[in-house]
Amino acid sequence: MKKVLSLVLVVCLSVTMLCACGSDSKTEAKKESDKTLSMATNAEFPPYEYVDGDKVVGIDVDIAQAIADKLGMKLKVDNINFDSIIPAVTSGKDQIGIAGMTVTEKRKKSVDFTDSYATGVQAVIVKEDSKIKDAADLTKKGANNKIGVQLGTTGDLYCTDDVENAGLGKVEKYNKGADAVQALVSGKIDCVVIDNQPAKEFVKANKGLKILDTAYKEEDYAIALAKDNSELRDKINNALKELKADGTIQKILDKYITAE
Ligand code: ARG
C-alpha cells in the first residue's frame, strides 16, 4: 500500500513539475519579447541621431538606452525614413519613436507622447551672402523663395502652410536634411528650414552657409508611442523623471551639444 501511495505521489509530483516547467518556459518566452525595446528613428539628424560607421548613435539613442536600462530591457534600433516613424509605432512594428520628434496637435491624433526631454527651434540656413536676412522674410508680402525641408518634419508642415499654401514661395521636400543642404549649396534653393541642432552640424560641415539669428518656431521633443500603450508610457515617463533628476539627460545633451 505504501509503495502504491509513493508511486502515486511520484507520478503526481512529476506531472506538476512538467506542468510547471511548461508554463515557466512559456512565461520566459513572453518575458524575452517584453525585454526588447525597439525604437524607430531616422538617423539623418545629427546630433540627435546619425550613422557613425555601421552604428546609429546620438542623443536619442543614448536616452533610449538609458530608459531601456532602467526598464531592464534591451534596445533595438530601427533606422527608417522620418515619415515612416509614426506608422511604425501605430502598427506596433516598433514600440517607440524617438527622433527629435516635435509634439504637435496633429501627431497627437495618431500617437501618444511621453513628457518632453528636450527642446528644439526651427532654424533657417542660408548662404552667407543671402538676401534673406530674417525668418520673417520668408512670409512677407511678395516673398518668393524656394525653401528646402526634410519631408514630413515640422519645418515641412510650417513652410507648406505659411509659405506655399499662402502663395509666398515653393517648398522642396527632401528625404534627408543633408540633401536639402546640398541643394542650397549648389544654388537650387534659397534656404533650408530645419531644427537648430542639425542646422549647426550642417553649417559646420559645409562652407559658405550660416544660420539666421531669428528662429522660426520653438518646439518640444518627446517620445511617440502607440495610443493603447499607456503602461509603457508611464514607465518611460517615470524613467525620464529619474534620468532628468539625476542629471543623466543633461549629461547626454552636453556630450553631443557643445555650448556656444
Ligand atoms: N523636430 C522635427 C519634427 O518633429 C524634425 C525631426 C527630424 N528628425 C529626424 N530624426 N530626422 O518634425
Side-chain angles (χ1 to χ4, degrees):
M1 187 61 190
K2 250 193 182 165
K3 252 190 198 154
V4 176
L5 247 180
S6 45
L7 198 78
V8 169
L9 241 162
V10 167
V11 169
C12 276
L13 254 174
S14 13
V15 169
T16 2
M17 266 167 71
L18 260 174
C19 291
C21 282
S23 74
D24 237 31
S25 60
K26 233 187 237 158
T27 43
E28 269 317 301
K30 185 171 179 319
K31 269 194 225 128
E32 265 317 307
S33 70
D34 281 355
K35 271 186 188 153
T36 301
L37 182 65
S38 94
M39 67 173 262
T41 195
N42 168 247
E44 300 290 344
F45 199 69
Y48 280 88
E49 45 266 335
Y50 54 100
V51 175
D52 186 15
D54 59 354
K55 276 185 87 181
V56 177
V57 297
I59 293 168
D60 285 335
V61 183
D62 283 10
I63 290 179
Q65 184 63 61
I67 291 170
D69 289 346
K70 282 234 179 262
L71 304 187
M73 296 170 97
K74 251 209 255 130
L75 184 69
K76 186 179 140 238
V77 181
D78 192 13
N79 183 17
I80 57 183
N81 280 345
F82 184 73
D83 64 341
S84 302
I85 295 175
I86 288 187
V89 167
T90 54
S91 71
K93 181 170 165 256
D94 293 301
Q95 287 148 292
I96 60 171
I98 174 162
M101 189 181 285
T102 305
V103 178
T104 70
E105 289 310 312
K106 195 167 166 224
R107 288 175 182 164
K108 271 194 201 163
K109 288 188 183 139
S110 35
V111 288
D112 269 355
F113 283 101
T114 63
D115 296 336
S116 175
Y117 63 90
T119 54
V121 178
Q122 290 301 308
V124 185
I125 310 176
V126 293
K127 280 198 168 171
E128 263 160 6
D129 58 358
S130 173
K131 58 183 200 314
I132 303 171
K133 305 281 181 216
D134 190 291
D137 287 350
L138 300 180
T139 50
K140 74 176 182 209
K141 211 175 144 227
N144 188 18
N145 294 296
K146 275 200 192 130
I147 304 176
V149 296
Q150 186 185 12
L151 178 72
T153 60
T154 47
D156 177 6
L157 305 178
Y158 300 148
C159 293
T160 300
D161 275 355
D162 301 349
V163 177
E164 194 159 278
N165 294 347
L168 294 170
K170 203 165 165 358
V171 177
E172 304 284 348
K173 302 165 194 242
Y174 299 86
N175 254 322
K176 306 175 181 184
D179 291 346
V181 172
Q182 281 323 306
L184 174 62
V185 169
S186 62
K188 281 190 204 127
I189 56 176
D190 302 299
C191 66
V192 173
V193 172
I194 196 161
D195 304 51
N196 57 332
Q197 292 306 338
K200 278 188 216 158
E201 301 283 336
F202 291 139
V203 166
K204 231 193 292 171
N206 291 278
K207 270 210 185 96
L209 301 182
K210 66 173 183 188
I211 299 172
L212 295 184
D213 290 335
T214 52
Y216 201 90
K217 232 158 224 167
E218 273 201 40
E219 2 186 80
D220 289 319
Y221 294 166
I223 302 171
L225 309 98
K227 278 201 171 293
D228 55 8
N229 210 350
S230 56
E231 191 190 330
L232 183 63
R233 189 197 54 206
D234 295 348
K235 279 191 197 161
I236 292 180
N237 275 339
N238 278 334
L240 276 176
K241 217 176 271 158
E242 290 173 19
L243 294 168
K244 282 179 195 168
D246 72 6
T248 306
I249 300 279
Q250 193 56 49
K251 230 203 259 150
I252 292 171
L253 290 168
D254 292 345
K255 174 175 160 196
Y256 291 93
I257 301 173
T258 39
E260 55 261 42

